[in-house]
């Protein structure tokens, strides 16, 4: 009596594909959800808003400072709405949200530039809405270069071509990490995969029990591993399709780059899919109906969204939330994806995240297998 | 008496608990090879649970036994290879076609000549031209025939049929039983649970279960004797009036009407004979003692039976 029959495994696999193809709604959901989420998150959070209200505190209004303000105004990112005379006044405006930026030109700015002291212009940004601030902030260095080229003529000509004779410090308030939509999109992949993979697997397995087909199935000589793998592998492929669709959309709709190692991403992503499927399988051993499977899946989704670092910067969460967050696979996959896509990470850079996901997977699989019964008990 | 080798099923002391409810209690059963064995009992009495334990789908909390010579506790895999189990509820895939369902089942048993077997099954069913229809679109009777065909693909030596004809029209039921008898004649052992008298009387053996306990079992012919039923056949005018009267009479346990004839039965032979003697003095009806038959026995068994899902009472 052999322990694993590829023929039976293949039959379960094939059957699952046929059923998946016939279930139009679920099939549509599997492809539709990633695109819909991406559009919602990507566009609702306007990645490049313009005309943001800006205050200015001019302790020195020499030609260079004026040129910077002028440049900012013409960039369309900043709308100067007034002047403040103290730091408190500027801070209050940021806190109340009446302004998104406060530009502070320090006293004796012009003199210090001439003396080569490299003074600082401070741009305080309300980064609580990270997407709002990021485009404008990113535009700053270009604005300054242009301003300098216009102003630094005559006696200050000698400084042109060299690094700018002053610097700009951006001070992001209320949101240390300063996420941008570029940052949100890779995180969204972690959420979408978790959402669909866990739920679809759990529901697909519970459906057999609920409809009674499991009874006829396990009355045949089929082995648990054949059923389990045969039912799960089609959804691995669904995960592939979802990710592919997602990455294409992210690239072409939102210009999210992918600069890191594809191999590293591929390995990490497979691991993440497996851990989600295992979680779905675990849920299927608990749920009594498809409805329950769906509800439990949604329940696991909440901490995934809130505590993985997707919604709030992980470092900013209280200790207990970080502890919970660490046990969530999405937390690690999200870091992994950001590192690879945005920061150009390679395999060694993500080994810690991979290890974390592997440990979670091991725990889930062990519990799931202990709960799985070959009988109807 | 039958020996081990002649038994398709021999279980003893089978017990199953769900939570703190004992759903099957020390159940014994011996099914001779080649027999049609009827498994009777009200809803919720534990028939399905017992059948599931016999084919390795539930692990008994107590008891032991063998099925086709394989131990039900340690060799469920071998049992599954040789048993065809038709579940009470339709359990094929409604979103697969008829052919896909049969093909899937054939693959589960890793059959070599799968395609030709499936083709033959379709032809036997008369469904060749509808093979690509989704199974979910079939009527109750067709679903039942398809289910039977699916569990016969691998030529099982033992068929476990759990209320196979529930909710199926009488014509389809008769056809189904023709098929069961054909299989039985070919040497297949059949254990079938049922609610219907016309099915019960076609069985060679009968077991009756209530509240998880087996109350009666034996060859069908001997069941009335085992129950200890005495029956009188009554014929005459205004039979309905007499029927109503007899129902109220002490000593009469059961009055069954067959057209213009009453079968009056009771387990207390003396009391019933006294009633008959009284009645015969009136000379209005013709009273004749007869052998109790399976019909009376069946009605007697099922009459006291209410659904067993609630708290157990003493079965009537
Ligand atoms: N998996 C289960 N968990 C709990 N109770 C069950 C389970 N299966 C059956 N039962 C209960 O066991 C009793 C016997 O059920 P069953 O064997 O299906 O009876 P039958 O087939 O004779 O109608 C019923 O009261 C039923 O509610
Ligand atoms: Mg039943």
């Amino acid at each position: 009596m052999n322990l694993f029959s590829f023929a039976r495994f293949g039959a379960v696999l094939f059957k699952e594909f046929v059923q998946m193809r016939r279930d139009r709604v679920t099939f549509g959901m599997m492809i539709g959800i990633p695109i819909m989420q991406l559009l919602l998150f990507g566009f609702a959070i306007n990645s490049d808003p313009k005309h943001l209200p800006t205050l200015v505190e001019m302790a020195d209004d020499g030609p260079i400072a004026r040129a910077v303000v002028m440049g900012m105004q013409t960039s369309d990112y900043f709308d100067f709405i007034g002047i403040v005379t103290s730091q408190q006044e500027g801070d209050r405006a940021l806190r109340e949200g009446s302004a998104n930026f406060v530009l502070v030109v320090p006293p004796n700015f012009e003199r210090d530039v001439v003396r080569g002291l490299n003074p600082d212009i401070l741009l305080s940004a309300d980064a609580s809405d990270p997407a709002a601030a990021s485009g404008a902030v990113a535009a700053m260095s270009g604005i300054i270069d242009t301003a300098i080229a216009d102003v630094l003529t005559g006696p200050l000509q000698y400084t042109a071509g060299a690094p700018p004779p002053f610097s700009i410090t951006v001070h992001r308030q209320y949101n240390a990490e300063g996420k941008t939509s570029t940052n949100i999109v890779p995180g969204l992949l972690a959420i979408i995969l978790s959402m669909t993979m866990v739920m679809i697997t759990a529901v697909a397995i519970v459906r057999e029990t609920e409809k009674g087909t499991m009874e006829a199935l396990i009355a045949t000589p089929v082995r648990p591993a054949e059923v389990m793998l045969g039912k799960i592998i089609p959804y691995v492929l669904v995960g592939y399709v979802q990710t592919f669709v997602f990455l294409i959309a992210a690239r072409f709709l939102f210009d999210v780059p992918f600069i890191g190692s594809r191999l590293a991403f591929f390995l990490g992503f497979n691991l993440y899919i497996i851990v989600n499927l295992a979680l779905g399988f675990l849920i299927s051993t608990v749920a009594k109906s498809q409805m329950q499977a769906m509800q439990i899946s949604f329940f696991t989704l909440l901490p995934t969204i809130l505590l993985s670092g997707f919604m709030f910067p992980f470092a900013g969460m209280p200790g207990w939330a970080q502890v919970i967050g660490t046990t969530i696979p999405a937390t690690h996959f999200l870091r992994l994806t950001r590192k690879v896509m945005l920061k150009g990470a390679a395999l060694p850079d993500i080994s810690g995240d991979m290890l974390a996901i592997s440990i979670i997977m091991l725990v889930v699989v062990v519990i799931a297998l202990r709960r799985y019964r070959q009988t109807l008990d | 008496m039958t020996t081990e080798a002649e038994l398709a099923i021999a279980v003893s002391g089978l017990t199953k608990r769900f939570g703190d409810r004992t759903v099957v209690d020390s159940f014994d059963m011996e099914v001779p090879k080649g027999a049609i064995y009827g498994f009777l009992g009200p809803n919720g009495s534990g028939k399905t649970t017992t059948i599931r334990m016999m084919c390795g789908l539930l692990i008994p909390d107590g008891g032991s036994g063998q099925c086709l010579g394989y131990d039900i506790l340690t060799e469920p895999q071998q049992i599954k290879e040789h048993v065809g189990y038709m579940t009470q509820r339709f359990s094929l895939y409604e979103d697969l076609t008829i052919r896909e369902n049969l093909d899937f089942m054939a693959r589960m048993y890793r059959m070599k000549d799968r395609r030709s077997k499936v083709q033959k099954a379709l032809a036997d069913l008369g469904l060749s031209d509808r093979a690509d229809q989704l199974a979910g679109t079939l009527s109750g009777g067709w679903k039942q025939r398809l289910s039977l065909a699916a569990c016969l693909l691998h030529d099982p030596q033992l068929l476990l049929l759990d209320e196979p004809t529930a909710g199926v029209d009488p014509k389809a039921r008769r056809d189904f039983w023709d098929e069961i008898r054909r299989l039985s004649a070919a040497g297949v052992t059949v254990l079938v649970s049922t609610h219907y008298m016309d099915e019960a009387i076609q069985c060679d053996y009968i077991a009756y279960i209530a509240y998880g306990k087996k109350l009666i079992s034996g060859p069908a012919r001997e069941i009335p004797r085992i129950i200890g039923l005495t029956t009188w056949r009554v014929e005459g005018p205004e039979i309905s009036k007499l029927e109503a009267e007899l129902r109220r009479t002490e000593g009469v346990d059961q009055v069954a009407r067959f057209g213009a004839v009453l079968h009056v039965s009771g387990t207390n032979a003396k009391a019933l004979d006294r009633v008959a003697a009284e009645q015969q003095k009136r000379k209005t009806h013709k009273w004749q003692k007869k052998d109790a038959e399976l019909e009376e026995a069946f009605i007697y068994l099922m009459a006291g039976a209410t659904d067993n899902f609630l708290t157990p009472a003493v079965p009537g």
Side-chain angles (χ1 to χ4, degrees), chain A residues 376-377, chain B residues 18-19 21 23-24 41-50 52 58 88 162-163 193 195 209 308-310:
Chain A
L376 295 168
D377 285 271
Chain B
F18 289 118
R21 274 193 62 197
V23 164
V24 175
N43 275 324
S45 54
K47 301 183 295 293
T48 301
T49 307
T50 307
R52 283 173 176 169
L58 283 177
Q88 183 169 355
D162 194 1
E163 293 188 33
S193 77
H195 274 311
I209 182 175
N308 284 181
F309 293 111
L310 303 169

Side-chain angles (χ1 to χ4, degrees), chain A residues 24-205:
Chain A
R24 294 256 163 75
V25 177
T26 309
F27 196 69
M29 239 171 56
M30 290 184 302
I31 305 302
I33 284 181
I35 296 182
M36 203 177 72
Q37 295 257 18
L38 188 62
L39 293 181
L40 279 178
F41 276 90
F43 281 125
I45 302 169
N46 187 346
S47 56
D48 201 18
K50 303 233 161 114
H51 301 290
L52 301 166
T54 306
L55 289 169
V56 62
E57 185 187 335
M58 283 279 224
D60 180 353
D61 64 347
I64 303 177
R66 279 158 188 275
V68 170
V69 171
M70 208 54 165
M72 285 168 69
Q73 182 90 343
T74 44
S75 76
D76 281 354
Y77 279 108
F78 305 92
D79 272 358
F80 286 95
I81 55 164
I83 292 174
V84 290
T85 50
S86 70
Q87 200 195 333
Q88 288 88 336
E89 214 181 318
D91 281 351
R92 192 178 331 116
L94 282 184
R95 203 163 43 238
E96 288 169 353
S98 57
N100 281 63
F101 294 98
V102 178
L103 183 75
V104 182
V105 181
N108 305 322
F109 173 71
E110 214 80 13
R111 196 194 64 200
D112 290 349
V113 171
V114 176
R115 288 186 182 170
L117 293 179
N118 201 7
D120 255 350
I121 291 182
L122 176 71
L123 183 66
S124 288
D126 170 5
S128 64
D129 184 352
S134 61
V137 169
M140 271 313 278
S141 80
I143 291 168
I144 288 167
D145 284 347
T146 318
I148 292 168
D150 288 351
V151 181
L152 297 188
T153 52
L156 292 173
Q157 182 88 63
Y158 70 96
T159 57
F166 60 92
S167 44
I168 178 127
T169 302
V170 177
H171 182 198
R172 287 196 179 86
Q173 301 196 6
Y174 313 125
N175 181 349
E177 216 175 60
K179 284 195 292 187
T180 68
S181 99
T182 312
N183 211 347
I184 282 175
V185 167
L188 196 55
L189 179 62
I191 302 296
I192 290 173
L193 281 178
S194 172
M195 182 162 150
T196 46
M197 292 288 96
V198 173
M199 189 159 73
I200 291 171
T201 336
V203 168
I205 298 171

